[in-house]
Amino acid sequence: MEEDGVSEGLNSPAGQAHRGLVAAQGSAVGFHSEGKNLGPCSGPNRQRDLCTFCTISLDQEEVFRTKVFDKSLSPFYGEDFYFEIPRPFQCLSFYVFAKGVFQRDLPVGKVSIRKEELCKFSGKEHWFGLQPVDPNSEVQGKVHLEMRLNELIIENGSMCQQLLVRIIECQGLPLISGQNCDPYATVSLVGPARSDQKKTKVKKKTSDPQFEETFNFEVTRPNSYTKKSNFQVEEEDIEKLEIKVDLWNNGNLAQDVFLGETRVSVKILRNDHIHRAWYLLQPKGNGKSKTDDLGSLRLNVTYTEDNVLPSACYTPLRTLLLKSPDIKPISASAAHILGDICRERYEAVLPVVRLLLHHSRLVPFVSAITVLELENTQEANTIFRGNSLATRCIDDMMKIVGRSYLTVTLKPVLDEICDSNKTCEIDPIKLKEGDNVEVNKENLQGYVQKVFSSITQSSSSCPPLMCDVFRSLRHMASKRFPDDPHVQYSAVSSFVFLRFFAVAVLSPHTFQLRPHHPDLEVSRTLTLISKTIQTLGSWGSLSKNKLVCMNVSYQPLQHAYQSSLVYISRSTFKLTVPISRDYLFCFREIQKRAQGRKRIGKRNFKKRWLRVTNRELSYHKHRGKEALCIIPVKNIRAVEKLYESAFNRKNMFQVLHSEKPLYVQAGNCVEASEWVEVLSQVSRCNPDRLGTFHPSAHVAGAWLCCRSLSDNQPGCKPCTPTLLANLQLDIDCDRETERIFSLLTSSYSKLQKMEDACASIAVYQGPPREQDDYSLFTIQDPKETFHTVQQITHILEELQREHDTRSGTAQYGSQENPIVGKTS
C-alpha cells in the first residue's frame, strides 16, 4: 500500500518504479512455536485436558491458524508459516486459544511484538510470557490531531488560555465482526481536578474516518472570574493537564467497543503555535495489568524490513548485477562476488535469483556458474551434491517457478496419504505393539509407487524455465564427463528428485501443499517416502538389486524415470498444463456478493465456499456440496483487487469473466493476495484477457472510481501484468536490489578482504598461500575481480549517501513517522 510516496508491506507492484520518499517494506518469515504450562497457575480454570491452537495476527486481523493440539498444557505446534506482509501494521501477535466443544473458543493468552521490536527478536528462538487477552488492549490504527494553545483577553481585560483540539482523521482502525466499524471519538482535557469531554459525530462503515471537528477547552480561569466554578482551584497547573482522545465503535443497540486511545501532554504546546502530528492508538491504560502466570510460548520469527529508495537510485547496482552473465570469468561478476562473500547466508541468493529471473537473465548466469562448478567436480557420481552457488540458485529458482507444478503433481497423492493415514513403519526398533511389518511394507510400497508415478507422469507440466535450466545441465554434464552415459540423467535428477520433489514430500506444509504440519505418524510416513524417492531418484543408486528388495518392477520404473528426465530437459514444450484431470488449488470460506446486484447492502453478501481448480472456479453453500455457480477458468478475463470504498469492506477482489463480475471478500489480507495469485496463475494463458479494469463498483448508474455511466465502459486502470510460459511473478526489483545492497553492506569487511586479495595475487604472481584470507574466495582473474569490487564499493558508498540524505525526510509525527504513545 502506498501513501504519498511511502510504501509499507511487501506486495508493492513491480511496475511502480517511482517513489517519492523512502519506502519501508517488511516480511514476517518462519513462525515456529511451542507452548509451556498454558493457562492459569491454579484454580478451576487449570484444565489438564486443554486442547489448544495458536493463531497469527497482523494487529487484530488473523492471517494464519495452527491445527488443534490435543490434551496438553505444553503443546509443540511445530508449524512454519512464511508470508509477505501486504499492508502496514503495528503489531505481530500470536494468540493461544482453548478449543471449545459446545461454546466459542476461549483465549488463553497472547504474545504481541511491536513492529519496531521485531528486528530485536528476529532469527532467534525466544520464550515469551503470555499476556491476557483484554478487549481494551486490542487496538490498532492512528489518529491525526492538530492542537493550539491561545491566550485570550476578555472584556474586562483579564487574560485566560484556551485550548483548540482539532481531530482530523484516523487510519487503520480494526474490523468489527469482519466489517468496517462505525467509529466516533471523544476528546477530553483531563487533570487532577477536572475532566471535560466532548464527542465527534459517528462515521458510518469506515476504518479511515474523516472527522474534521474542532473542540475548545478553557485551560485557565481569569482571576476576576466570579461565577460558581466547576473546578476545585481557580488556576490549574498546565504541567498536569493532558489531552486524551478515545476512539470507539458505535454499537447502536449493543455496547460501544473501545478502539484505542492516545494522550498528549498540554505542556508540549507553545502559545499561538500549531502542533500537528499523527499518534498511534494505544491500549487503555497502556495495557498494563497484573495477572497470573498464563504460561509461555517459544517463537522463532524472522523479519526483514527494507527502506526502498526511488527506482533511479538503484540503476547503477541493478545494471552491474544484470551484466553478471556476460562477465568473463563469471567469478569476477557482481552476482558471483555477492554469493562468494555471503556464502554462509542462504538468503543472499534469493534476491539475485529474483532480479535475474525478472529480467530473463537467470538461465545464462546459472549456465556460467554451473560450468565453473563442473570444472571443480572430479567424479561424475558426486555431481551437484554440494551446497554451492549454482545449486542454491537452481533450488531457489525451482521454489519460485515450480509452485504450481508441485501442486499439480503432488497435492492429490499427498492429500490421500495424509487423510488415509496408513501405518508404514518398517524399522523394527520403531514398530508399535500389534504392527505388522509386512502390511506396513506394502503400504509404503503402494505410496511410493503412487508418488513416483505422479512425478514421472508430470513431465509435460514442468515449467518451461525449469526445462531450459535442465536442458543446459544435461548438455554441460555430458560435455564434462563424456565417458559416462548416465551423467546427463543424474545431473537433472539430483535437482528434480533430490532437491525438489523429495523435499516437498518431506515438508508439504512449507510448500502450501497441506494446510498444517502433519502429525508425528504421518510425518514419519512422509519421511520414509521422501527417503525412498531420493534413492529412486539417484541414478547411481537405482540398482536392480535395491528395486528387487522393494518388490518394485525394475524395467518399467527405469523406463519411466529416464523418459521423464529426457522430457523435462527437452528443447520444445507446450505453454499450457494438460487438463485431463482436475487439480484442486484452493478451497476456503469467503464472503460473496450476489452477481449483478445494483444496490449496496449487507444482505447482498453471503458466506460461501470458493473452490478453484485448473479447470473451473465454483462457489458452494457448504463445503463438499453441489456448486451453486461454476465459472470455467478459460472464461476468466482478469483478477484484480477492489478499492475498499467500493463496498466499505476490506480484503476484496473481483473475478472478471464473460458474464457479471464476481466480487469476493477474503478472510484476511494474506488470503486476498493468495486468491488473486492463484486465480491469475490458472487463467494467465487465456487469450482474451483484459487490458484495463474498474477498481470499484458500478452503483446507482455510475462507476464509483471514474464516474463513467455505462456499465460496459472499458476500465479506467491498467490490469496487473502477467507473464506467460507458466510463470506468474510479482517482483519488485527495487526492493530486491535494496536487499542486495543491505547484504553487501553487512559484508563490507569481506568485500575489502577480497579487494586486498586481488591486489596481493596480482603482485605476488606465485602459487596460492593457504593461510591467506583470499583462499576463502574464488578469484580466477584478479584484475577483473578487483575492477568489479571497486565498482561495487563505489556504488555502495553512493547508495549509503542517498539513505543518509533521505533518512530524515519523514518528519517525526508525520503520517510516515507517527509519534508512538503518550507524549510527556
Side-chain angles (χ1 to χ4, degrees):
M1 180 181 295
E2 293 211 20
E3 301 165 344
D4 299 334
V6 177
S7 170
E8 287 190 79
L10 291 186
N11 285 351
S12 301
Q16 293 176 347
H18 302 287
R19 296 186 175 93
L21 301 174
V22 175
Q25 299 187 321
S27 69
V29 183
F31 155 72
H32 194 83
S33 68
E34 174 186 359
K36 184 168 65 177
N37 299 326
L38 300 181
C41 283
S42 59
N45 293 328
R46 185 71 162 188
Q47 302 176 27
R48 291 294 169 187
D49 58 349
L50 200 65
C51 298
T52 63
F53 62 91
C54 194
T55 67
I56 310 174
S57 297
L58 293 175
D59 298 322
Q60 289 178 254
E61 184 180 16
E62 180 184 322
V63 293
F64 286 107
R65 176 177 294 209
T66 70
K67 63 182 179 181
V68 177
F69 200 98
D70 291 340
K71 300 181 181 180
S72 174
L73 297 179
S74 297
F76 179 74
Y77 299 109
E79 296 195 42
D80 297 312
F81 297 96
Y82 170 86
F83 61 102
E84 295 190 341
I85 299 172
R87 65 168 178 81
F89 73 106
Q90 294 179 30
C91 287
L92 180 66
S93 302
F94 305 86
Y95 293 81
V96 177
F97 287 89
K99 184 67 178 176
V101 180
F102 300 109
Q103 56 183 351
R104 65 184 181 88
D105 302 329
L106 298 175
V108 176
K110 69 173 182 178
V111 173
S112 288
I113 308 175
R114 296 199 70 86
K115 179 180 177 180
E116 57 269 19
E117 295 177 341
L118 276 171
C119 292
K120 182 170 63 175
F121 301 109
S122 179
K124 299 178 182 177
E125 290 187 350
H126 294 271
W127 282 98
F128 296 88
L130 291 177
Q131 301 299 315
V133 179
D134 178 5
N136 288 331
S137 69
E138 302 295 290
V139 303
Q140 68 181 66
K142 54 189 176 184
V143 59
H144 196 190
L145 301 177
E146 182 180 286
M147 295 158 282
R148 183 171 183 171
L149 196 61
N150 294 332
E151 287 189 349
L152 300 178
I153 301 177
I154 59 177
E155 296 177 358
N156 60 5
S158 298
M159 186 79 68
C160 71
Q161 286 185 310
Q162 185 183 52
L163 174 66
L164 277 71
V165 180
R166 176 177 166 226
I167 178 166
I168 304 170
E169 62 179 316
C170 290
Q171 287 188 356
L173 297 181
L175 300 177
I176 302 297
S177 300
Q179 306 300 322
N180 282 329
C181 54
D182 296 330
Y184 70 89
T186 59
V187 183
S188 308
L189 181 64
V190 297
R194 68 186 292 179
S195 180
D196 295 348
Q197 184 179 96
K198 299 180 181 182
K199 177 181 173 181
T200 69
K201 296 177 181 178
V202 176
K203 301 297 179 179
K204 292 289 186 180
K205 300 301 177 188
T206 177
S207 296
D208 303 314
Q210 300 284 329
F211 290 110
E212 291 292 349
E213 295 190 42
T214 302
F215 302 101
N216 298 326
F217 298 91
E218 282 190 342
V219 178
T220 58
R221 299 285 189 182
N223 292 333
S224 59
Y225 190 75
T226 57
K227 294 183 179 180
K228 183 177 180 181
S229 174
N230 292 326
F231 313 127
Q232 298 177 5
V233 291
E234 290 301 316
E235 291 193 25
E236 291 186 284
D237 184 0
I238 288 183
E239 298 286 321
K240 298 178 181 178
L241 292 178
E242 282 185 329
I243 303 160
K244 179 171 173 283
V245 179
D246 292 284
L247 271 296
W248 299 85
N249 176 61
N250 182 40
N252 294 321
L253 300 178
Q255 185 176 358
D256 293 354
V257 177
F258 175 76
L259 300 178
E261 69 171 32
T262 190
R263 295 170 180 258
V264 184
S265 175
V266 174
K267 70 180 181 181
I268 71 168
L269 305 180
R270 300 195 303 272
N271 285 340
D272 297 321
H273 176 76
I274 296 177
H275 176 83
R276 186 169 178 169
W278 286 87
Y279 289 87
L280 294 178
L281 294 175
Q282 301 295 309
K284 187 172 289 187
N286 281 328
K288 297 178 180 178
S289 60
K290 294 183 179 179
T291 61
D292 292 335
D293 181 13
L294 299 175
S296 53
L297 201 63
R298 179 169 63 91
L299 301 174
N300 186 350
V301 179
T302 301
Y303 175 79
T304 60
E305 181 175 304
D306 297 318
N307 293 316
V308 183
L309 300 171
S311 185
C313 298
Y314 297 110
T315 300
L317 181 56
R318 185 166 52 242
T319 301
L320 186 64
L321 290 163
L322 293 177
K323 286 170 54 181
S324 294
D326 304 322
I327 301 298
K328 301 291 192 314
I330 192 64
S331 60
S333 67
H336 192 282
I337 288 172
L338 173 66
D340 220 10
I341 65 175
C342 299
R343 63 179 63 187
E344 296 87 6
R345 301 184 63 175
Y346 183 79
E347 76 276 13
V349 174
L350 182 58
V352 175
V353 170
R354 290 173 67 88
L355 187 66
L356 295 174
L357 194 58
H358 182 80
H359 291 277
S360 302
R361 300 288 286 157
L362 183 63
V363 175
F365 178 71
V366 168
S367 298
I369 59 176
T370 299
V371 169
L372 179 60
E373 177 170 342
L374 288 173
E375 289 175 356
N376 298 318
T377 303
Q378 303 304 318
E379 299 290 337
N381 58 4
T382 61
I383 193 169
F384 302 130
R385 295 301 175 88
N387 189 24
S388 64
L389 179 60
T391 58
R392 289 159 64 191
C393 283
I394 298 174
D395 283 349
D396 281 337
M397 178 275 296
M398 291 190 299
K399 290 175 183 176
I400 296 170
V401 176
R403 179 176 173 184
S404 61
Y405 180 34
L406 279 177
T407 304
V408 166
T409 305
L410 289 183
K411 184 170 174 51
V413 66
L414 288 178
D415 287 342
E416 179 186 343
I417 292 169
C418 294
D419 294 339
S420 60
N421 197 16
K422 295 179 182 178
T423 303
C424 296
E425 186 56 69
I426 56 176
D427 187 343
I429 299 176
K430 296 183 178 181
L431 287 173
K432 297 179 181 178
E433 186 177 352
D435 282 350
N436 187 319
V437 68
E438 292 301 322
V439 173
N440 292 356
K441 189 175 181 180
E442 289 181 8
N443 292 338
L444 178 59
Q445 289 173 350
Y447 284 156
V448 169
Q449 289 271 20
K450 288 185 177 181
V451 172
F452 196 78
S453 296
S454 296
I455 295 172
T456 56
Q457 294 172 12
S458 71
S459 308
S460 58
S461 303
C462 185
L465 186 70
M466 291 175 63
C467 295
D468 289 343
V469 172
F470 296 149
R471 184 174 67 253
S472 179
L473 293 181
R474 278 186 66 192
H475 172 73
M476 290 183 291
S478 298
K479 187 175 180 179
R480 174 67 177 87
F481 299 101
D483 298 330
D484 189 334
H486 295 156
V487 72
Q488 59 173 319
Y489 305 114
S490 59
V492 178
S493 67
S494 61
F495 289 102
V496 176
F497 285 91
L498 276 63
R499 294 176 176 268
F500 188 56
F501 286 116
V503 176
V505 169
L506 184 64
S507 303
H509 59 290
T510 61
F511 292 87
Q512 291 81 49
L513 298 176
R514 293 288 295 176
H516 299 296
H517 192 290
D519 58 37
L520 292 177
E521 188 168 343
V522 174
S523 182
R524 174 61 179 166
T525 298
L526 295 178
T527 300
L528 293 171
I529 296 172
S530 178
K531 288 182 176 180
T532 309
I533 292 299
Q534 290 183 52
T535 301
L536 294 175
S538 176
W539 183 268
S541 301
L542 192 58
S543 65
K544 186 174 182 178
N545 291 335
K546 287 189 176 182
L547 295 171
V548 169
C549 291
M550 295 179 59
N551 293 331
V552 176
S553 178
Y554 176 69
Q555 291 296 337
L557 186 57
Q558 183 191 36
H559 177 73
Y561 170 86
Q562 185 171 337
S563 298
S564 66
L565 295 179
V566 170
Y567 198 79
I568 64 173
S569 56
R570 64 201 182 280
S571 58
T572 58
F573 43 78
K574 298 179 181 179
L575 282 178
T576 56
V577 177
I579 54 173
S580 57
R581 56 180 294 192
D582 280 339
Y583 299 103
L584 178 64
F585 286 99
C586 208
F587 197 11
R588 288 188 184 132
E589 191 174 40
I590 48 90
Q591 290 272 354
K592 182 200 72 70
R593 185 175 188 266
Q595 297 186 69
R597 293 290 176 89
K598 298 296 184 181
R599 299 177 59 188
I600 294 180
K602 186 175 181 180
R603 293 182 179 178
N604 288 341
F605 282 88
K606 296 183 178 180
K607 284 188 176 181
R608 292 290 182 259
W609 284 86
L610 194 64
R611 183 178 187 269
V612 60
T613 71
N614 55 307
R615 285 204 270 194
E616 61 187 31
L617 170 68
S618 58
Y619 55 83
H620 310 247
K621 190 170 185 179
H622 300 288
R623 187 183 184 110
K625 297 297 183 180
E626 187 176 345
L628 299 176
C629 177
I630 296 176
I631 301 171
V633 163
K634 64 181 180 181
N635 292 347
I636 295 177
R637 306 185 68 191
V639 184
E640 299 288 348
K641 291 188 177 181
L642 270 174
Y643 287 162
E644 180 184 333
S645 58
F647 300 105
N648 289 324
R649 289 171 175 248
K650 289 182 178 290
N651 307 323
M652 288 205 64
F653 65 92
Q654 57 184 320
V655 181
L656 304 174
H657 57 107
S658 53
E659 298 179 13
K660 297 293 183 181
L662 174 65
Y663 297 116
V664 179
Q665 182 184 25
N668 55 62
C669 58
V670 175
E671 280 189 13
S673 295
E674 290 178 349
W675 274 117
V676 171
E677 180 184 356
V678 168
L679 288 166
S680 297
Q681 256 188 0
V682 297
S683 63
R684 66 191 174 275
C685 295
N686 290 352
D688 56 347
R689 289 184 63 87
L690 295 174
T692 59
F693 76 103
H694 291 283
S696 196
H698 189 270
V699 179
W703 288 100
L704 298 179
C705 44
C706 59
R707 308 311 303 174
S708 296
L709 300 181
S710 173
D711 59 352
N712 295 321
Q713 182 74 19
C716 57
K717 186 177 180 181
C719 288
T720 304
T722 59
L723 300 179
L724 296 179
N726 292 346
L727 184 60
Q728 165 71 23
L729 293 176
D730 183 14
I731 295 177
D732 187 337
C733 292
D734 294 339
R735 178 202 165 202
E736 303 303 335
T737 313
E738 171 61 30
R739 186 96 288 272
I740 293 169
F741 162 72
S742 299
L743 290 163
L744 288 169
T745 302
S746 64
S747 303
Y748 192 77
S749 60
K750 290 186 178 180
L751 197 64
Q752 291 299 303
K753 287 182 179 180
M754 178 177 276
E755 184 176 351
D756 294 341
C758 290
S760 177
I761 293 172
V763 172
Y764 175 57
Q765 293 296 331
R769 293 171 292 185
E770 292 184 0
Q771 299 304 315
D772 288 349
D773 287 333
Y774 62 75
S775 64
L776 301 174
F777 306 122
T778 305
I779 302 176
Q780 294 175 292
D781 186 331
K783 291 183 179 180
E784 187 68 28
T785 306
F786 182 83
H787 177 64
T788 306
V789 171
Q790 283 196 317
Q791 287 181 288
I792 294 173
T793 302
H794 175 71
I795 291 172
L796 294 184
E797 292 172 353
E798 290 294 325
L799 273 173
Q800 189 58 56
R801 275 194 286 270
E802 288 286 348
H803 274 288
D804 294 340
T805 301
R806 297 169 184 271
S807 61
T809 56
Q811 181 182 356
Y812 187 57
S814 66
Q815 181 172 342
E816 297 80 34
N817 189 14
I819 297 171
V820 179
K822 179 178 176 180
T823 304
S824 57

